């Protein structure tokens, strides 16, 4: 995946689903369900049980073109392992050495940042987009303030984003939003399929509403 491909996917889909879970089997099922239901830009956090195995098996199932990434990538070694497992992009919680490593591997990077200095550093390190994290720290007003000095930077707010705030961030100029718990819930740890289905429908409708 090229950086332009990831940006295009984020701008089109407006959602980055974040999967974390304690059960590799259900985490894999969660990833596949999300993609098959149309929420097809998905990050598997490396805090997930057997995350690299989940990414590898999801890649085998979904094929080479799926926008499947690895999240909570902190070290250069983790970036390498994510690439070997089949991740198409990486997401970091901050501007760590993993950003430059993933860039050098040819992988798009969503680098975590919350201050103007961190945003500038992420851009300097070659980040494809900035993961505004934790977005809940400053809310929508913080995103608006950052977009003034960084109008060309694609921002993806993550952390405390639910259906209501997702609309607000997207209306304020976010390229996409990253959503974990409010979308995935406990599905990746064996939770209710029915509840997961309702949340998928809600967020899919939200993304279609914003895109229209």
């Amino acid at each position: 995946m090229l950086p332009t491909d990831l940006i295009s996917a984020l701008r089109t889909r407006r959602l980055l689903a974040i999967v974390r879970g304690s059960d590799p089997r259900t985490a894999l099922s969660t990833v596949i369900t999300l993609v098959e239901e149309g929420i097809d830009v998905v990050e598997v956090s490396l805090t997930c049980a057997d995350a690299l195995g989940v990414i590898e098996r999801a890649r085998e199932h979904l094929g080479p073109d799926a926008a499947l990434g690895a999240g909570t990538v902190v070290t250069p070694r983790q970036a390498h392992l994510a690439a070997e497992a089949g991740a198409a992009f990486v997401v970091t919680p901050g501007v760590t050495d993993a950003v430059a490593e993933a860039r050098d591997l040819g992988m798009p990077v969503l680098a975590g940042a919350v201050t103007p200095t961190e945003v500038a550093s992420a851009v300097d390190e070659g980040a494809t987009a900035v993961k505004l994290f934790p977005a809940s720290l400053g809310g929508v007003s913080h995103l608006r303030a950052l977009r003034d000095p960084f109008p060309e930077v694609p921002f993806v707010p993550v952390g405390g984003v639910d259906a209501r705030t997702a609309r607000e961030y997207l209306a304020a100029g976010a390229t996409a939003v990253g959503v974990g718990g409010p979308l995935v819930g406990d599905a990746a740890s064996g939770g209710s399929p029915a509840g997961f289905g309702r949340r998928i429908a809600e967020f899919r409708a939200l993304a279609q509403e914003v895109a229209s």
Side-chain angles (χ1 to χ4, degrees):
M1 172 174 274
L2 297 172
T4 52
D5 295 331
L6 178 60
I7 293 300
S8 177
L10 290 170
R11 283 179 174 153
T12 301
R13 301 305 191 194
R14 311 305 300 270
L15 287 175
L16 168 66
I18 302 168
V19 175
R20 304 181 186 91
S22 58
D23 181 348
R25 181 181 59 82
T26 52
L28 174 61
S29 175
T30 297
V31 172
I32 292 170
T33 298
L34 285 164
V35 173
E36 291 180 344
E37 292 295 324
I39 299 179
D40 53 6
V41 185
V42 182
E43 164 196 339
V44 178
S45 172
L46 292 191
T47 60
C48 185
D50 190 26
L52 294 170
V54 172
I55 293 170
E56 185 172 7
R57 291 188 291 276
R59 176 61 68 199
E60 291 171 356
H61 182 91
L62 298 170
D65 298 327
L68 176 66
T72 324
V73 177
V74 177
T75 68
R77 175 166 172 74
Q78 287 176 328
H80 270 281
L81 292 173
E84 290 172 0
F89 62 92
V90 301
V91 184
T92 72
V95 186
T96 71
D97 290 342
V99 176
E101 190 67 25
R103 177 203 65 205
D104 291 346
L105 289 168
M107 302 176 74
V109 188
L110 274 71
V114 71
T115 67
T117 299
E118 291 170 350
V119 172
S121 180
V123 172
D124 287 345
E125 288 295 315
T128 305
V130 168
K131 166 186 167 181
L132 182 59
F133 177 78
S136 58
L137 191 64
V140 176
S141 61
H142 186 56
L143 170 63
R144 291 196 183 98
L146 285 173
R147 291 194 69 239
D148 283 342
F150 300 106
E152 302 302 319
V153 173
F155 284 99
V156 181
V158 177
V161 178
D162 57 18
R164 178 185 61 81
T165 55
R167 286 184 174 87
E168 294 174 355
Y169 283 118
L170 293 169
T175 298
V177 291
V179 186
L183 168 60
V184 176
D186 59 357
S189 299
S192 164
F196 185 35
R198 285 193 297 271
R199 294 190 298 273
I200 287 176
E202 177 185 20
F203 276 92
R204 189 173 56 200
L206 181 156
Q208 292 170 348
E209 170 192 324
V210 171
S212 62

